[in-house]
Amino acid sequence: MRTLSEWITTYLLNDMNREEIEKVVLDITEKVISPIDSKVSVSLEDNFRNDLGGDSLDMVQVVMDIEHRLDISVSDAECECLTTDETTVKDIVDLMEKHYKEKHG
């Protein structure tokens, strides 16, 4: 039998489209990257490392927060692929959308 939390997560996440996943990724990336005293504006075209100043620890935090929010799981190897100098926020969205669709249809 499902717990209330599992039911709510499944019900709320089943109908997410790409735009909603993008919003989750952008929001979480902004929260992780932004200094406490200011807010960084993040767009899909931003390079995670060069434009936003994110490092591998920031990426791990972003991925973990997104995994939790979307109820998905990303392998360590896939997470490592996101730590290149070429990684954009769109690349993160693409990977999260793939895992979301695999799990939630």
Side-chain angles (χ1 to χ4, degrees), residues 1-13:
M1 178 172 226
R2 284 179 167 174
T3 66
L4 178 59
S5 175
E6 290 170 333
W7 183 85
I8 290 171
T9 300
T10 300
Y11 177 76
L12 293 176
L13 293 177

Side-chain angles (χ1 to χ4, degrees), residues 37-67:
D37 59 346
S38 65
K39 184 175 181 183
V40 173
S41 180
V42 176
S43 74
L44 294 175
E45 296 78 28
D46 285 336
N47 179 288
F48 190 80
R49 184 172 290 171
N50 298 329
D51 295 330
L52 302 175
D55 60 21
S56 58
L57 293 176
D58 293 325
M59 180 61 75
V60 169
Q61 186 64 52
V62 166
V63 170
M64 287 174 47
D65 290 355
I66 295 169
E67 286 177 319

